[in-house]
């Protein structure tokens, strides 16, 4: 595993200034194969771990939510970005994961079904149950393509909403909901304030650890044979079948893995929010995930993370704008062309449009541009 | 060709940087997230205060326990000697009515844009703004003005967003002037209890009577339906079958639960029909009413769907009576295609209405000025009275901290609603079975009246509601 | 039997709303290969225009509706020129998300005009009914079905016999070749959005004839999505049939499911179109009338 992350073999024997000259298999295969990459990733991870001590709790809750959504966005990127199977049904799998976690960790004597199991059980179980559902849904993908598949997965979201609303012994029913997961690790709560860290800090660090544990395998998956099979299915699926890539297997795998990630995201998300309500897993949530994938950059893992953070932090950003714009009425029905809440809603839509028009490759495309500019500097053009 | 595409890219990069910058700027308080299951005292974090905050009047609030950073000590006003900390400042509010007063900040979490209740939420929020403005014009409370406009946030009727926005404004406000929605409030109720933050809900679910930090006013949906059925049995002829047509969830479920209880108490046949929001989703309800022909229908939906049900069933020959709960009514129904049917068959129940005369109503009309009359305004106005009484009591006790406000709430046994609710409605102390107010009204549509309703029966408590043993919320007792 | 008749009529009435919206979707898809999620916003915009034209401007109903249709067509044109023309050639789903953004923006502006109350306009039919035996048939359903039939016939004639219609069909078939033949593909794109806008406005008018318009009315348009898939994404006739099927199924399930199959839960009628969608797609993966994609490797 470490061989995939770092470059153990041949390190001393590579001439300096020639980072892309690989002299051993392990250095060729390594995930972080140049010193620049290693340093960069180390810096980012260190900064992420140090952030809770520099930032206030209310921002940490928001950041923690963003990290949880990143896990889901990675899942969606696997099925939509890498494998090309457009799925609008991500919200359904997120909901499945959230409810599995809530049921498994819930109070056995409470009003609703609960089993009181610890986190080591419910966190993977949330992913596994959602993954199993993805496995069941995948045969649809083998039969349908493109927009047909998208609308069918949309139907899945509506059906899922219906089931969640009606099955109120598990979900508590619409408008009521149930209390979400209480996360504890070795007896220490992961969400309550303790002696050293506050609740929000713990939540953020927990989400960060889960994200790293989820992102590294996903990145490796994308670089492996399975990932190449996904790309083949996305680009030319008939040609892929002709050369021997099993379409059915690839699509099944893509949906299962993606749903697994969605399940983990659901469990994590609702540890942070504290209540789960059946109406939350709707079309809007699915669209948010798609927006994250597209804004971040399809078929990239770091893009998924960037996109998720962007979309989660965007409302906070749009809230600041009305202060600076003169023709916005204060309060909710103040005069002016629009009220500030309406402006926020409009800005949300407009920013997404503008982003996609100017940079269809997403934030990852922006990063690529910046990186290539500096790679060729001072001869960039 | 590449040159002229440079600036949009710069713009994107700048936007991203600005985003990150504003995300980091939004700090500056030492806060912590608490949890009920620890039951421990609030833990102290020693995060150094971050860069400049963006709300001009926000001071570095400190908790009651001493900190070791250089944050200001507990505040006292020069004259009144009232203790305060979170959410209360010595500086005047922005655009203050009384520039010499300090400022009490109250938060509002409402559905202002895309959720299903935005149509009501905006008048509610507006009415509250007018209410507290009037309080300020009368001199404020204990030497402080009250500000409800600085921390208004949109929750899009989503519990997750509600929680996020609550976390964002929590450390800047003393209490919540409005938290709209039951699932959304349920998402933060644990934290409200843990931090002792008083909140005024913008709904009438029976659950609120059992929460100490929630300052509800007005009859809940459960008792409202009970009273409606009792009134109908007494005043209309030939009522033998009752049908409850309602939305899923606590709003509709609470009303349906009450209807079922009253139907059983009166020996009537009861049918429960759940319907989804949306005028195109009413065909099941319309068909049920038109085919089963109940004598009385208790309708708990929104105005558009109520119009669809009433209009379409009348078009199919239905002649029974509809009694719709408060939020199902809108004056626009009297100019809609269903107007004739509504005037002939529809009655509105409710916790109160604009048409009822009282000093409070006159004050509200004066404060609101020229608006399109809507009972959302009435509700927002009336809901604010208990919080005002609590703040005044806390100021009298000399303690405008969160603990002080909560203590004041536990002393509230006589809130003055200025005639908009009867005197017995103002008691928040003691067992909900004794103190929860059970009276509702019944009105009939009238195009000339101010919100389109004329009061037929002023505040009354029917025999079923009177005798009901109120020990838990109605919706879960008869959960379906 | 009367219940069945009532539900059928109601379903056909609602179905014509969905059929018109689905037609708009399909016309845009056929010409531009983009699925537009902006139809709900155009529908509400059209309905709001009728409200104001008959209310504040005092136009009679039969004058207000064509004017509203024209104005909404103009709106569709503006949307196409500003938001979608720069995106020609970009991946399909990016463009779909852009249409969602457009939908949000337009709806915010329209909600500003709608306000917090319910809006109405007076139609010549209101909720008047005529009795056919035991069944109460609402006049507006008859008007809706008739109008839909006339509009569909007009569209068919337009596509078959007029030059512009031919140009649109050619573009839908193969954009590059049409361009090579001298057809202004840009004009075709603009025209398809304009037609979709007009159809959406007409659908919005139907929604408002028997009820009220408020800020939640746009959700009705989402029902057209299963309609377009059931009928087939690129089939104009399929869109109409899909819309009617969705309307009828929804009405029948709403009437009979609570008594016949209560275990399916309350309000199963809301998701029944999607169940039908799944069944249809399992049998015919391209919808009832869609053409299977032929892909060259």
């Amino acid at each position: 595993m470490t061989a995939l992350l770092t470059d153990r073999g041949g390190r001393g024997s590579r001439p300096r200034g020639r980072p892309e000259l690989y002299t051993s298999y392990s250095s060729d295969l390594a995930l972080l194969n140049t010193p620049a990459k290693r340093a960069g990733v180390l810096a980012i991870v260190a900064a992420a771990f140090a952030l809770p001590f520099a930032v206030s709790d209310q921002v940490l809750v928001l950041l923690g939510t963003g990290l949880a959504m990143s896990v889901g966005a990675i899942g969606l990127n696997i099925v939509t970005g890498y494998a090309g199977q457009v799925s609008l049904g991500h919200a359904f799998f997120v909901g499945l994961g959230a409810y599995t976690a809530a049921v498994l960790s819930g109070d056995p004597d409470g009003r609703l079904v609960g089993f009181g199991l610890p986190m080591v059980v419910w966190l993977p179980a949330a992913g596994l149950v959602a993954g199993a559902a993805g496995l069941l849904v995948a045969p649809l993908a083998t039969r349908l393509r493109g927009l047909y598949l998208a609308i069918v997965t949309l139907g899945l979201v509506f059906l899922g909403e219906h089931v969640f609303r009606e099955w109120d012994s598990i979900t508590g029913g619409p408008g009521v909901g149930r209390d979400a997961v209480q996360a504890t690790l070795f007896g220490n709560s992961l969400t309550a304030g303790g002696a050293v860290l506050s609740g929000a800090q713990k939540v953020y660090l927990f989400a960060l650890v889960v994200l790293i544990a989820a992102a590294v395998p996903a990145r490796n998956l994308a670089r492996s044979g399975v990932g190449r099979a996904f790309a083949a299915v996305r680009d030319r699926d008939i040609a892929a079948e002709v050369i021997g890539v099993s379409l059915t297997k690839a699509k099944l795998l893509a949906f299962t893995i993606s749903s697994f990630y969605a399940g983990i995201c659901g469990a994590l998300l609702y540890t942070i929010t504290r209540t789960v309500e059946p109406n939350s897993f709707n079309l809007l949530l699915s669209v948010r995930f798609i927006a994250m994938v597209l804004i971040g950059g399809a078929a990239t893992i770091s893009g998924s993370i960037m996109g998720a953070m962007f979309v989660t932090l965007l409302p906070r950003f749009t809230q600041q704008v009305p202060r600076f714009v003169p023709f916005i009425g204060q309060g909710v029905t103040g005069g002016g062309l629009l009220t500030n809440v309406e402006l926020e809603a409009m800005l949300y839509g407009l920013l997404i449009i503008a982003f996609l028009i100017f940079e269809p490759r997403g934030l990852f495309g922006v990063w690529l541009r910046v990186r290539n500019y500096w790679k060729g500097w001072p001869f960039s053009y | 060709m590449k040159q002229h595409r440079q600036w949009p890219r710069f713009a994107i990069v700048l936007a991203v940087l600005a985003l990150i910058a504003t995300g980091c700027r939004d700090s500056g308080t030492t806060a912590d997230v608490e949890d009920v299951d620890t039951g421990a005292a609030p833990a102290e974090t020693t995060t150094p205060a971050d860069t400049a905050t963006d709300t001009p009047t926000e001071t570095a609030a400190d908790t009651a326990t001493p900190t070791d950073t250089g944050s200001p000590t507990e505040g006292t006003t020069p004259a009144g000697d009232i203790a305060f900390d979170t959410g209360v400042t010595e500086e005047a509010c922005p655009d203050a009515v009384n520039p010499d007063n300090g400022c009490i900040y109250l938060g509002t979490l409402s559905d202002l844009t895309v959720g299903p209740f935005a149509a009501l939420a905006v008048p509610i929020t507006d009415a509250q703004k007018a209410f507290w403005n009037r309080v300020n014009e009368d001199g404020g409370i204990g030497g402080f003005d009250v500000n409800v406009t600085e921390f208004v946030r949109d929750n899009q009727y989503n519990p997750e967003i509600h929680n996020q926005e609550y976390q964002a404004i929590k450390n800047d406000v003393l209490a919540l002037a409005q938290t709209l929605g039951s699932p959304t409030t349920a998402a933060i109720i644990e934290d409200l209890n843990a931090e002792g933050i008083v909140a005024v809900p913008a709904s009438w679910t029976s659950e609120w009577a059992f929460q100490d930090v929630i300052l509800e006013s007005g009859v809940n949906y459960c008792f409202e339906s009970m009273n409606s059925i009792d009134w109908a049995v007494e005043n209309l002829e030939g009522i033998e079958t009752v049908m409850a047509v309602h939305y899923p969830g606590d709003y509709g479920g609470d009303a349906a639960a009450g209807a079922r209880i009253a139907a059983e108490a009166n020996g009537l046949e009861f049918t429960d029909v759940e319907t989804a929001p949306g005028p195109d989703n009413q065909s099941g309800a319309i068909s049920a009413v038109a085919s089963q022909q109940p004598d009385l229908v208790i309708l708990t939906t929104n105005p558009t769907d109520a119009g669809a049900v009433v209009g379409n069933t009348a078009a199919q020959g239905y002649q029974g009576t509809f009694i719709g709960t408060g939020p199902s009514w809108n004056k626009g129904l009297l100019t809609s295609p269903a107007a004739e049917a509504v005037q002939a068959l529809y009655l509105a129940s409710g916790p109160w209405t604009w048409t009822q005369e009282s000093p409070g109503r006159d004050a509200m009309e004066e404060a609101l000025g020229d608006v399109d009359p809507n009972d959302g305004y009435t509700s927002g106005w009336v809901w604010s009275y208990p919080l005002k009484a609590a703040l005044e009591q806390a100021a009298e006790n000399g303690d405008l901290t969160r603990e002080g406000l909560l203590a004041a709430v536990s002393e509230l046994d006589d809130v003055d609603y200025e005639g908009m609710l009867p005197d017995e409605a103002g008691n928040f102390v003691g067992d909900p079975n004794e103190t929860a107010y059970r009276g509702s009204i019944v009105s009939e549509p009238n195009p000339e009246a101010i919100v389109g309703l004329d009061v037929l029966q002023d505040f009354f408590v029917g025999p079923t509601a009177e005798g009901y043993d109120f020990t838990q919320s109605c919706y879960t007792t008869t959960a379906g | 039997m009367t219940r069945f008749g009532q539900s059928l009529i109601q379903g056909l009435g609602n179905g014509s709303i969905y059929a018109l919206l689905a037609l708009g979707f399909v016309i845009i898809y056929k010409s531009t290969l983009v699925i537009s999620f902006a139809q709900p916003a155009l529908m509400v915009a059209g309905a709001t225009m009728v409200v104001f034209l008959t209310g504040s401007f005092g136009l009679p109903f039969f004058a207000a509706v064509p004017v509203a249709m024209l104005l909404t067509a103009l709106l569709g044109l503006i949307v196409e020129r500003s938001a979608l023309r720069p995106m020609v050639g970009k991946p399909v789903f990016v463009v779909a998300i852009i249409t969602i953004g457009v939908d949000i923006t337009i709806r915010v502006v329209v909600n500003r005009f709608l306000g917090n109350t319910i809006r109405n306009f007076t139609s010549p039919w209101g909720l008047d009914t005529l009795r056919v035996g035991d069944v109460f048939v609402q006049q507006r359903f008859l008007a809706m079905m008739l109008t839909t039939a006339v509009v569909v016939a007009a569209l068919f004639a337009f596509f078959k016999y007029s030059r512009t219609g031919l140009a649109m069909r050619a573009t839908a078939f193969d954009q590059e070749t049409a361009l090579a033949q001298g057809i202004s593909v840009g004009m075709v794109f603009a025209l398809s959005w304009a037609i979709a806008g007009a159809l959406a406005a007409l659908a919005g008018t139907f929604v408002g004839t028997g009820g009220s318009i408020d800020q939640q009315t746009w959700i009705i348009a989402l029902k057209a999505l299963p309609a377009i898939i059931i009928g087939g994404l690129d089939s104009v006739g399929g869109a109409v049939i899909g819309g009617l099927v969705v309307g009828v199924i929804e009405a029948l399930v709403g009437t009979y499911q609570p008594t016949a199959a209560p275990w399916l839960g309350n309000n199963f009628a809301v998701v029944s179109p999607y169940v039908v969608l799944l069944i249809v797609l399992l049998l015919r993966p391209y919808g009832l009338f869609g053409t299977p994609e032929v892909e060259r490797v």
Side-chain angles (χ1 to χ4, degrees), chain C residues 25-33 171-173 233-236:
Chain C
F25 274 114
V26 165
I27 289 179
I28 293 182
Y29 180 76
K30 277 189 80 150
S31 316
T32 62
L33 295 174
T171 317
F173 195 72
L233 266 177
D234 54 353
S235 159
V236 171

Side-chain angles (χ1 to χ4, degrees), chain C residues 24 28 38-39 41-47 49-50 53 64-82 84 106 187-203:
Chain C
I28 293 182
Q39 288 290 81
L42 292 173
M43 178 187 90
V44 185
M49 282 180 207
V50 176
L53 285 171
V65 173
V67 173
M69 281 172 73
L70 230 78
L71 288 175
T72 319
L74 200 63
L75 183 60
L77 214 73
I78 295 174
V79 163
E80 195 270 333
R81 280 283 148 161
S82 54
L84 291 148
I106 295 181
M187 184 271 294
V188 167
F189 284 4
L191 195 58
S192 49
W193 270 85
I195 293 178
L199 289 172
L202 192 58

Side-chain angles (χ1 to χ4, degrees), chain A residues 55-56 58-59 316 320 323-324, chain B residues 18-28 50-55 58:
Chain A
V55 166
S56 80
Q58 62 202 32
V59 184
R316 189 58 66 89
Q320 309 299 328
R323 288 168 202 278
F324 305 110
Chain B
L19 188 66
I20 298 172
T22 45
C24 293
R25 270 175 79 218
D26 229 353
S27 50
D50 208 2
T51 55
T53 62
D54 42 333
T55 52
E58 188 182 341

Side-chain angles (χ1 to χ4, degrees), chain C residues 169-212:
Chain C
R169 272 165 54 210
T171 317
F173 195 72
D174 188 330
Q175 276 180 18
E176 271 193 64
T177 314
L179 202 56
Q181 292 288 334
I183 292 175
S184 163
V185 171
M187 184 271 294
V188 167
F189 284 4
L191 195 58
S192 49
W193 270 85
I195 293 178
L199 289 172
L202 192 58
T205 315
F206 286 172
V207 171
T209 48
S212 320

Side-chain angles (χ1 to χ4, degrees), chain C residues 137-204:
Chain C
V137 178
Q138 288 189 26
Q139 290 180 8
R140 64 183 177 115
F141 288 145
L142 292 175
M144 278 152 65
M145 290 191 276
L146 198 63
T147 319
T148 310
V150 167
V151 164
V152 170
L155 271 175
F156 267 118
F158 169 73
F159 282 132
K160 197 160 160 120
Y161 296 117
S162 75
R163 283 182 71 92
T164 332
L166 190 60
M168 287 181 80
R169 272 165 54 210
T171 317
F173 195 72
D174 188 330
Q175 276 180 18
E176 271 193 64
T177 314
L179 202 56
Q181 292 288 334
I183 292 175
S184 163
V185 171
M187 184 271 294
V188 167
F189 284 4
L191 195 58
S192 49
W193 270 85
I195 293 178
L199 289 172
L202 192 58

Side-chain angles (χ1 to χ4, degrees), chain A residues 56-59 62 65 168 174-176 192 194 198 270 273-275 277 310 316-317 319-320 332-333 355 358-359 369, chain B residues 8-9 12 19 23 26-27 31-32 35 38 43 45 54 122 126 160 163-165 167-168 183 187 249-250 475 480:
Chain A
S56 80
D57 273 6
Q58 62 202 32
V59 184
L62 199 60
T65 316
D168 48 8
V176 178
S198 78
Y270 290 92
T273 327
R274 317 314 314 280
T275 346
E277 205 254 331
F310 183 87
R316 189 58 66 89
F317 176 56
Q319 267 170 24
Q320 309 299 328
V332 287
T333 53
F355 206 93
F358 290 119
E359 187 54 86
R369 257 179 244 283
Chain B
R9 312 224 184 281
I12 299 291
L19 188 66
D26 229 353
S27 50
D32 43 293
D35 211 50
T38 60
T45 58
D54 42 333
V122 173
D126 242 11
E160 189 193 302
N163 188 31
Q164 271 175 26
E165 298 298 343
Q167 296 292 335
D250 64 297
Y475 181 41

Side-chain angles (χ1 to χ4, degrees), chain C:
Chain C
M1 195 56 204
T2 37
R3 272 181 89 190
F4 181 78
Q6 295 283 171
S7 309
L8 192 64
I9 299 290
Q10 180 139 38
L12 285 173
N14 278 334
S16 23
I17 300 177
Y18 307 145
L20 284 174
L21 288 164
L23 260 180
F25 274 114
V26 165
I27 289 179
I28 293 182
Y29 180 76
K30 277 189 80 150
S31 316
T32 62
L33 295 174
V34 160
I35 192 136
S36 145
F37 288 104
Q39 288 290 81
L42 292 173
M43 178 187 90
V44 185
T48 314
M49 282 180 207
V50 176
V51 167
F52 279 96
L53 285 171
T54 50
S56 322
F57 291 93
L59 286 175
F61 178 78
F62 286 109
V65 173
V67 173
M69 281 172 73
L70 230 78
L71 288 175
T72 319
L74 200 63
L75 183 60
L77 214 73
I78 295 174
V79 163
E80 195 270 333
R81 280 283 148 161
S82 54
L84 291 148
R85 189 55 64 92
M87 299 307 290
V88 168
K90 298 287 194 299
V92 171
F93 257 88
V94 174
V95 186
I97 296 290
I98 289 186
T99 57
I100 294 182
V102 167
D103 179 65
I104 294 177
T105 314
I106 295 181
R107 267 194 293 123
V108 168
V109 175
V110 170
N111 284 343
R112 190 100 176 105
F113 285 100
L114 280 177
N116 302 305
T117 178
I118 58 179
R119 300 276 187 181
N120 308 291
F121 54 80
T122 37
S123 64
W125 312 285
L127 285 169
D128 301 335
T129 51
L130 31 107
R131 277 192 82 142
V132 177
D134 267 342
V135 177
F136 289 94
V137 178
Q138 288 189 26
Q139 290 180 8
R140 64 183 177 115
F141 288 145
L142 292 175
M144 278 152 65
M145 290 191 276
L146 198 63
T147 319
T148 310
V150 167
V151 164
V152 170
L155 271 175
F156 267 118
F158 169 73
F159 282 132
K160 197 160 160 120
Y161 296 117
S162 75
R163 283 182 71 92
T164 332
L166 190 60
M168 287 181 80
R169 272 165 54 210
T171 317
F173 195 72
D174 188 330
Q175 276 180 18
E176 271 193 64
T177 314
L179 202 56
Q181 292 288 334
I183 292 175
S184 163
V185 171
M187 184 271 294
V188 167
F189 284 4
L191 195 58
S192 49
W193 270 85
I195 293 178
L199 289 172
L202 192 58
T205 315
F206 286 172
V207 171
T209 48
S212 320
I213 308 285
D214 65 4
Q215 293 185 3
Q216 303 299 311
T217 310
W218 66 277
I219 300 180
I220 299 179
L222 290 179
K223 298 246 179 90
L225 287 174
I228 55 178
I229 301 290
I230 291 176
L233 266 177
D234 54 353
S235 159
V236 171
V240 178
I241 296 193
L244 293 173
V245 164
V246 167
V248 169
I249 297 275
E250 198 186 40
L252 289 177
V253 171
T255 309
Y256 290 107
Q257 179 261 331
T259 40
W263 51 270
L264 282 170
N266 291 312
N267 299 319
F268 187 70
V270 178
V271 291
S272 53
Y274 290 98
V275 176
V276 174
L277 173 71
L278 275 171
I279 297 173
V280 167
L281 283 180
L282 281 175
L283 302 171
R284 291 181 66 93
Y286 291 98
L288 288 173
F289 300 101
T291 48
E293 282 174 28
V294 171
E295 218 187 82
R296 291 191 168 73
V297 181

